[in-house]
Amino acid sequence: MIVNGPDLFPIEIKSAMTITRDYFKGLRHFSKIFSNSIPRGSGLVYGGQEVQQRTDVAIVPVYALQELWDKID
């Protein structure tokens, strides 16, 4: 998780090359609890190759981690 003043940006890190529905359980649960503190959604880093955007989750491969940091700023 990245803390920027009162704002939070939760990040889940997975080693697999493919994304599964289960990867989002923790992020969804966290977002429900801290919904007022997460204005920019959340992030998922994984071992695949494709940058994706789901409703409120930025999904990036490890090599594109800079794109996730740029989203936070």
Side-chain angles (χ1 to χ4, degrees):
M1 177 179 6
I2 297 174
V3 178
N4 185 10
D7 298 336
L8 305 175
F9 190 83
I11 299 173
E12 185 91 23
I13 300 173
K14 303 293 185 180
S15 62
M17 303 272 300
T18 57
I19 298 168
T20 67
R21 179 178 280 195
D22 291 339
Y23 287 2
F24 302 98
K25 285 182 182 178
L27 291 171
R28 280 191 211 111
H29 180 72
F30 188 89
S31 294
K32 285 180 185 176
I33 295 170
F34 295 99
S35 62
N36 293 335
S37 300
I38 306 177
R40 294 189 179 118
S42 56
L44 176 71
V45 179
Y46 78 118
Q49 299 295 315
E50 189 177 331
V51 175
Q52 301 179 30
Q53 179 67 47
R54 302 281 169 95
T55 304
D56 60 346
V57 180
I59 303 168
V60 298
V62 173
Y63 73 84
L65 199 53
Q66 183 62 45
E67 290 184 39
L68 191 57
W69 295 155
D70 293 343
K71 181 175 177 59
I72 297 166
D73 286 340

